[in-house]
Amino acid sequence: MFDILIRNARIVDGSGLPAFHGDVAIEAGRLRHVGGHLSAEARRTIDARGRVVAPGFIDPHTHFDAQLLWDGQARPALEHGVTTVVHGNCSLSLAPLKAAHRPKLVRMFQQIEEMPDAAFEGAFEWTWEGFDAYVDALRGRLALNVAPLAGHSPLRMWVMGEDAQKRAATPEETRAMQDVLRTCLEAGAVGLSTSYVDVDETLAPVPSRHAHFEELDALAAVLGEYGRMLQVVPEFYSTDITVARVDQLAELSLKHGIPTTFSPLFDSAATPTNVSRVLERVGEQVARGARVWPQVQTRPIDISFSFEIASLFFVTQPVWYMILRLPHEAKLAALREPATRASLIDAAEPGGVSPWGNLRVRASADASLIGRTLADIAQERGSSPAAVLIDLSVEEDLGAHFIVARMGHDDPARVGPALADDLVHIGASDGGAHIQSFATYGDTGYLFSTFVRDGKYLSLEHAVRKITGDTARIWGIRDRGLLRPGMAADVVVFDPETIARGEELAAHDMPEGGMRYVRDARGVDTVIVNGEVTWSAADGYTPARPGEITAY
Ligand SMILES: [Zn+2]
């Protein structure tokens, strides 16, 4: 008797080959049959008539590090069909991490990934320092699979202490880092993540940015012993520097025989040649045999914010950014102070020209303001957009929310061909991060609705392959990403006519009731992880915790 029998399926197997009809049988966590018509009995039978049955989606760029410790279902990523996540991206991971460095690392997470105190403080128990003990802490909690990266920043802190954020490593320290990285890879790390752009809570460069190339080269040599991934955040705001990073990653890939990936790669009207120039160089390096995978996200860039936190929206406005970092009362006092208010407005609107007129009010105590642009309200008040932003926030005790929609990466006619490109790795969702700026869930639904169904930039089979079979192959994740007998039974059943992402909504479901933006899934019926149903549209989340640390 099978555990699960999915009948009458339109099977899209993750290879990119044309879909075919048949049944899928699951037993003891593995796929037993894929295709054919089976008359055998099963404990649970799912009629998938009119539905697609595909491998579970793999999200290669998330920051679920903290969330997985108090929410092993990574809600709501799982209900969108995501059955495996890579976390520990962008140089930040919760292991290897000495107890003394926890507060510092948490502050970096909060700064870079915009996660509140409540996501860490009291939300889980720190029971580990080394990567092996961390992986043990995850076991048994997970409803979906994880491929954890070791972060370069905590790795440096482990070996160098406070000096990690001050200087290059000595040869002895580099050798010590190699040894620690080896223990991480032995314990199940999928690779190493590093960053060239991120800053800590004092706006100082994170530890990974103090590494000289020799250090990265030495760490890549250890990755080469295992053939594991190097993930990098390049200086994505500059095409020239990103192209140089592509060359550097290609050298490391060729020298050490490792895959490399970098993220994000964005399209925008302001930098219309960015994607084409970077992909041209990636193509040249791939032709030499290098493995360099740019990650491109599917969704447009929308940023929401209130003055409660210093949103990434203000990173290019240091005067604003520093004031928004103050505690609540001090912030209100500063915003009320006429000279400070004037200097903020001056910085944002040099010469009286405002770049913020198209921002809209997203939430306000005054319902009549919701949905209106700041330009519109400014005109009514005889004010300016930046002044309205300050005044509304002060009037509402910082409770007003604003949104700037479609800041870039928003033209399907430009993003669609990039997503379809063989050189592009679909990813960069940032799942679980920036939780009060935008919802990082539903990028897969958006891929199918916008780029398969509406725009026809990818076939259904191509899109599935891009987020399943390709992802597993790029990352060297064994046993997943394809529907083949003997492989792990990670399966998603969905309606190709309706799969989409829901509206972005504010939810108060963080530990301590903290707010974040989420999206529900549309058109997903059933999500199966290692042979167990973990979510279904009919019954919601199940108590099953079948998630594993993936094998490479
Ligand atoms: Zn990231």
Side-chain angles (χ1 to χ4, degrees):
M1 177 145 33
F2 297 122
D3 294 325
I4 299 177
L5 182 58
I6 307 172
R7 290 194 184 280
N8 307 310
R10 179 175 168 196
I11 298 168
V12 177
D13 72 359
S15 69
L17 293 174
F20 55 98
H21 283 264
D23 299 343
V24 173
I26 294 168
E27 191 184 359
R30 299 262 145 189
L31 297 161
R32 288 293 166 225
H33 296 275
V34 178
H37 288 291
L38 303 166
S39 54
E41 295 280 293
R43 281 178 195 87
R44 178 170 184 158
T45 302
I46 296 170
D47 184 5
R49 197 174 300 271
R51 300 291 193 257
V52 161
V53 175
F57 308 145
I58 304 173
D59 188 336
H61 190 129
T62 81
H63 296 279
F64 284 121
D65 304 68
Q67 186 176 336
L68 287 169
L69 292 159
W70 42 264
D71 167 23
Q73 296 166 316
R75 298 184 187 209
L78 184 64
E79 68 199 62
H80 287 272
V82 174
T83 58
T84 300
V85 296
V86 177
H87 66 281
N89 277 284
C90 307
S91 105
L92 296 178
S93 63
L94 297 183
L97 184 68
K98 289 181 177 164
H101 302 147
R102 285 170 190 159
K104 179 69 199 175
L105 189 90
V106 167
R107 288 196 296 274
M108 285 198 282
F109 251 105
Q110 290 172 333
Q111 168 68 26
I112 298 161
E113 309 302 348
E114 298 188 307
M115 296 162 80
D117 267 335
F120 297 89
E121 261 313 299
F124 58 85
E125 219 185 309
W126 298 86
T127 56
W128 64 88
E129 289 195 330
F131 211 88
D132 48 353
Y134 169 66
V135 165
D136 283 343
L138 286 176
R139 279 187 219 285
R141 291 176 188 269
L142 304 171
L144 73 182
N145 308 302
V146 296
L149 287 157
H152 191 183
S153 287
L155 178 63
R156 280 192 124 235
M157 288 155 69
W158 183 286
V159 169
M160 300 174 66
E162 284 187 5
D163 278 5
Q165 233 175 332
K166 289 181 185 151
R167 60 172 174 83
T170 65
E172 295 74 47
E173 286 165 339
T174 301
R175 271 193 296 279
M177 271 186 254
Q178 286 183 302
D179 290 340
V180 179
L181 177 58
R182 223 172 259 116
T183 66
C184 300
L185 300 175
E186 287 289 338
V190 69
L192 177 76
S193 69
T194 194
S195 167
Y196 288 104
V197 298
D198 291 306
V199 293
D200 73 2
E201 78 285 3
T202 68
L203 306 189
V206 293
S208 67
R209 292 179 61 186
H210 292 269
H212 284 179
F213 181 73
E214 289 70 20
E215 177 182 325
L216 192 60
D217 185 48
L219 295 173
V222 174
L223 295 174
E225 295 168 16
Y226 298 79
R228 303 262 173 97
M229 179 64 86
L230 175 64
Q231 184 265 347
V232 172
V233 188
E235 294 84 340
F236 55 87
Y237 44 81
S238 159
T239 306
D240 288 333
I241 307 179
T242 302
V243 166
R245 292 291 177 209
V246 168
D247 290 345
Q248 194 183 61
L249 289 175
E251 293 314 318
L252 291 170
S253 173
L254 288 166
K255 181 175 175 186
H256 301 295
I258 56 169
T260 67
T261 185
F262 66 92
S263 45
L265 176 61
F266 287 128
D267 178 61
S268 83
T271 55
T273 61
N274 186 48
V275 170
S276 58
R277 283 187 58 209
V278 171
L279 287 186
E280 189 183 340
R281 185 59 66 96
V282 168
E284 289 168 13
Q285 294 294 2
V286 168
R288 295 174 65 212
R291 282 177 281 169
V292 183
W293 291 102
Q295 286 183 33
V296 176
Q297 72 182 48
T298 64
R299 68 168 185 267
I301 301 168
D302 300 336
I303 296 184
S304 295
F305 61 88
S306 75
F307 276 18
E308 284 288 5
I309 61 168
S311 162
L312 60 84
F313 178 76
F314 295 101
V315 283
T316 58
Q317 288 282 351
V319 188
W320 287 70
Y321 201 75
M322 293 318 283
I323 289 197
L324 293 176
R325 292 175 45 74
L326 297 171
H328 189 96
E329 290 307 324
K331 194 181 328 191
L332 269 174
L335 294 170
R336 283 197 185 104
E337 212 264 307
T340 307
R341 182 177 177 279
S343 71
L344 288 170
I345 294 167
D346 224 40
E349 299 174 338
V353 181
S354 182
W356 293 345
N358 62 343
L359 268 70
R360 287 177 191 275
V361 177
R362 179 166 188 166
S364 167
D366 178 352
S368 72
L369 295 176
I370 295 171
R372 290 178 65 189
T373 64
L374 296 188
D376 181 31
I377 300 167
Q379 197 171 36
E380 186 178 274
R381 293 187 170 196
S383 181
S384 79
V388 169
L389 199 55
I390 296 169
D391 297 342
L392 268 182
S393 296
V394 170
E395 286 161 24
E396 303 195 10
D397 193 29
L398 311 184
H401 284 248
F402 307 89
I403 180 167
V404 51
R406 300 193 166 263
M407 285 180 73
H409 206 72
D410 58 334
D411 182 354
R414 296 172 57 83
V415 176
L419 295 174
D421 195 308
D422 275 346
L423 298 172
V424 163
H425 183 18
I426 294 181
S429 81
D430 256 346
H434 307 297
I435 60 172
Q436 295 186 355
S437 294
F438 41 77
T440 54
Y441 322 96
D443 287 16
T444 47
Y446 191 71
L447 170 67
F448 291 109
S449 65
T450 301
F451 298 102
V452 176
R453 217 161 47 230
D454 298 347
K456 301 191 170 35
Y457 297 99
L458 296 88
S459 68
L460 180 66
E461 291 89 341
H462 190 189
V464 168
R465 189 195 88 196
K466 282 286 221 176
I467 56 174
T468 60
D470 280 5
T471 313
R473 190 172 49 91
I474 289 167
W475 287 78
I477 296 171
R478 261 199 274 144
D479 263 8
R480 302 183 194 277
L482 290 173
L483 297 183
R484 292 281 157 75
M487 294 187 76
D490 296 343
V491 177
V492 55
V493 182
F494 66 88
D495 181 349
E497 301 303 324
T498 62
I499 186 169
R501 60 177 198 176
E503 287 301 308
E504 184 178 272
L505 300 172
H508 295 270
D509 60 353
M510 296 292 288
E512 317 260 325
M515 183 280 235
R516 64 171 178 160
Y517 286 112
V518 296
R519 290 178 191 276
D520 61 4
R522 302 285 156 83
V524 177
D525 288 320
T526 309
V527 183
I528 297 169
V529 178
N530 296 312
E532 294 189 48
V533 174
T534 51
W535 183 86
S536 71
D539 300 324
Y541 287 90
T542 75
R545 291 293 184 276
E548 294 174 1
I549 317 300
T550 55
Y552 317 107

